[in-house]
Amino acid sequence: MSISLGVALVTRARRGLGHAIALRLAKDGYDVALNDLAPNKALLEQLGTEIASDGRKFAIVPADVTSEADDLGGADVMIANTGIVMMKSLLDISEWDKVRAVNGRGTFLCRGGWIIGASSLAGKQGWSRLSTYSCSKFLVRGLTQAAAAELAPHNITVNAYAPGIVDAAMSTASTRNHIDTF
């Protein structure tokens, strides 16, 4: 086993982008803390086995990113990957608070060394029938820019990535008009 570059914590690591990011960080030399909600522990164990096969350490950190009590701070690299999407009319705000809590507050509460948040192309341009999601991803983009400016004097780097539609359970779920998390 080579010397670790540090610990990277990836939220919503069980599948999709989080799964791929966790594997890449392990290949790049990081030990990886895998976060998701507690019921998803079996999938995290499988991912941990893959990470261990690359000679890296892993830990499973079940927590709710929207809960300040479930503090996820302390990692050298924090990948705030958790997000939810729904495809509904602008006038249907039934899930507004939930989407804002997970995508906005969940990203805000992820603190660590180098912080990387999950925005979206929908955080650069609003999309029809994805108004709540787009607003929450604009929030992540603005939070990233403000945090980068404020934390730079402390040598803390803050970035965001903005993928388009990804062939994952989340994009499939959005076409069925209900919420899923990635």
Side-chain angles (χ1 to χ4, degrees):
M1 182 183 300
S2 62
I3 295 176
S4 174
L5 295 175
V7 175
L9 190 148
V10 181
T11 67
R12 194 56 185 228
R14 72 178 163 118
R15 65 178 184 203
L17 286 174
H19 185 273
I21 290 168
L23 288 174
R24 182 60 206 214
L25 288 164
K27 287 188 184 316
D28 288 348
Y30 286 92
D31 295 324
V32 186
L34 306 169
N35 163 259
D36 213 311
L37 296 172
N40 300 314
K41 193 170 182 181
L43 291 171
L44 294 177
E45 289 283 353
Q46 291 173 357
L47 176 56
T49 300
E50 289 181 69
I51 289 169
S53 71
D54 283 334
R56 303 280 19 120
K57 295 178 185 175
F58 74 95
I60 294 175
V61 184
D64 178 351
V65 297
T66 66
S67 171
E68 198 166 356
D70 288 353
D71 182 7
L72 294 174
D76 299 299
V77 177
M78 172 63 74
I79 309 293
N81 179 64
T82 301
I84 61 175
V85 66
M86 66 178 193
M87 191 168 195
K88 294 187 177 191
S89 165
L90 172 68
L91 301 176
D92 182 350
I93 61 166
S94 60
E95 298 291 339
W96 171 259
D97 290 333
K98 183 176 182 176
V99 172
R100 188 183 57 188
V102 173
N103 296 359
R105 181 179 171 80
T107 299
F108 172 75
L109 291 176
C110 288
R111 300 174 184 136
W114 177 16
I115 303 167
I116 305 171
S119 185
S120 168
L121 287 182
K124 294 182 176 190
Q125 177 180 340
W127 290 0
S128 175
R129 300 196 43 81
L130 288 172
S131 58
T132 303
Y133 179 74
S134 293
C135 289
S136 71
K137 292 305 182 172
F138 268 90
L139 186 155
V140 171
R141 186 174 170 206
L143 175 63
T144 299
Q145 292 172 358
E150 187 171 331
L151 298 174
H154 305 286
N155 294 319
I156 298 173
T157 302
V158 184
N159 299 104
Y161 57 97
I165 296 173
V166 176
D167 185 17
M170 184 171 150
S171 60
T172 303
S174 69
T175 63
R176 293 190 308 260
N177 296 329
H178 67 86
I179 291 180
D180 192 13
T181 55
F182 67 88

